[in-house]
Amino acid sequence: MTQVTQAPVKTRAQIASKTLRQDQWWRLPAFQAAVLGVVVIYLTWASLVNTDYYAAPLISPLYSPCLVTTCVKGSGFHWIPWLSWLAPAVLIIGGPMGFRLTCYYYRKAYYRAFWQSPTACAVREPHAKYTGETRIPLILQNLHRYFFYIALAFNVILTADAVVAFKNAQGQWGHMSLGTLVLIGNAALLWLYSLSCHSCRHITGGRLKHFSKHPVRYKAWTLVSKLNAKHMEFAWISLGFVCVTDLYIRLIAAGFFKDPTFF
Ligand code: FES
């Protein structure tokens, strides 16, 4: 008589400890939490302080474009009536901030560093249930593809600021200073960060059945894919350099030193 063997019932491994990992898995999220914490505190302060954001012709990337009536003379467009105590940066900060907050890489970093969801690979997280990004507020992360276009507009404006930095303080063209290089570096890093975005990769090469029929998009997708492999690096470096650029202009505007000129 043939004996029928029953397949064992599948259950999850019953492991009492939080993790079986032996390495110092907590070091990276702890480091990211510390760095992100410092950067967020600095950027919040710099965006709200409402002073020393312009040293002609250099403008801090946090305040550009300066659209309101209270912008320092020469720094912007003076289009929108504004309260004198409210920093002009408040009006525009949502664009770049939304782009960074919804970025796939930053999500990974701050979910681990602050929210502990997940804490790390193969480490039990403290939350009882997982709903992912399927409901409010995290479903709003899907707005990332739209923030991408807003970020491109900001990149164009900050590139224009770098071009204007070839003027001297009196408004004459044909000059260059260390501040010019700082603004060029800032704009270049922001372009690298944006063009290496996962949404950009999808826009260039997504939904295509035959790359051979779309050689230009294939070329663009190949290029963006190469940049995409470095997205994490561009995310950190460009974020740090925005702080450096703001601080550099802030120190000049406050009179700590003069912007060294090359010609
Ligand atoms: S995925 Fe990071 S900017 Fe789009």
Side-chain angles (χ1 to χ4, degrees):
M1 194 171 124
T2 335
Q3 200 159 358
V4 182
T5 39
Q6 296 261 308
V9 180
K10 282 187 184 164
T11 54
R12 301 186 76 172
Q14 300 300 308
I15 301 169
S17 47
K18 185 176 173 180
T19 181
L20 298 179
R21 285 180 68 169
Q22 303 285 315
D23 61 325
Q24 296 184 310
W25 53 267
W26 51 268
R27 276 169 63 162
L28 184 61
F31 176 73
Q32 289 174 334
V35 176
L36 281 177
V38 170
V39 167
V40 168
I41 289 169
Y42 175 79
L43 290 178
T44 308
W45 169 79
S47 303
L48 296 178
V49 69
N50 200 8
T51 182
D52 297 333
Y53 57 84
Y54 182 64
L58 311 174
I59 181 163
S60 161
L62 302 181
Y63 287 75
S64 182
C66 204
L67 301 173
V68 302
T69 46
T70 57
C71 294
V72 171
K73 192 164 177 280
S75 68
F77 301 94
H78 308 275
W79 286 339
I80 303 170
W82 204 242
L83 300 167
S84 58
W85 53 269
L86 193 58
V90 171
L91 185 69
I92 54 167
I93 202 75
M97 194 173 78
F99 186 50
R100 298 250 177 197
L101 265 182
T102 57
C103 162
Y104 289 39
Y105 170 68
Y106 283 113
R107 271 141 78 172
K108 176 185 168 189
Y110 69 77
Y111 283 175
R112 290 183 181 213
F114 296 115
W115 185 237
Q116 308 259 299
S117 178
T119 308
C121 290
V123 177
R124 181 147 37 92
E125 60 181 81
H127 306 281
K129 67 177 180 178
Y130 173 77
T131 54
E133 295 172 337
T134 55
R135 56 181 76 166
I136 292 281
L138 292 185
I139 199 169
L140 297 176
Q141 302 282 27
N142 289 303
L143 293 176
H144 185 65
R145 71 199 77 165
Y146 305 109
F147 277 117
F148 169 74
Y149 295 109
I150 295 173
L152 289 190
F154 273 90
N155 288 354
V156 170
I157 291 162
L158 297 182
T159 305
D161 288 344
V163 173
V164 169
F166 281 94
K167 286 182 178 178
N168 63 9
Q170 289 71 45
Q172 295 150 331
W173 285 99
H175 298 272
M176 188 176 183
S177 67
L178 187 55
T180 317
L181 286 182
V182 171
L183 287 195
I184 290 172
N186 183 55
L189 285 167
L190 289 174
W191 277 111
L192 287 171
Y193 172 56
S194 308
L195 295 178
S196 63
C197 167
H198 291 70
S199 290
C200 182
R201 189 164 177 263
H202 179 73
I203 289 161
T204 50
R207 294 176 182 269
L208 290 183
K209 285 209 169 77
H210 307 285
F211 270 138
S212 55
K213 290 186 184 158
H214 303 272
V216 176
R217 285 185 67 181
Y218 176 63
K219 192 91 189 146
W221 177 81
T222 311
L223 201 69
V224 169
S225 296
K226 283 189 186 142
L227 293 175
N228 183 254
K230 300 258 175 235
H231 189 58
M232 179 183 76
E233 288 88 337
F234 293 139
W236 281 111
I237 298 170
S238 63
L239 182 65
F241 208 79
V242 167
C243 298
V244 169
T245 307
D246 176 80
L247 184 63
Y248 183 80
I249 293 167
R250 191 164 291 286
L251 292 176
I252 295 168
F256 279 92
F257 61 88
K258 279 197 181 326
D259 185 23
T261 46
F262 304 131
F263 52 85

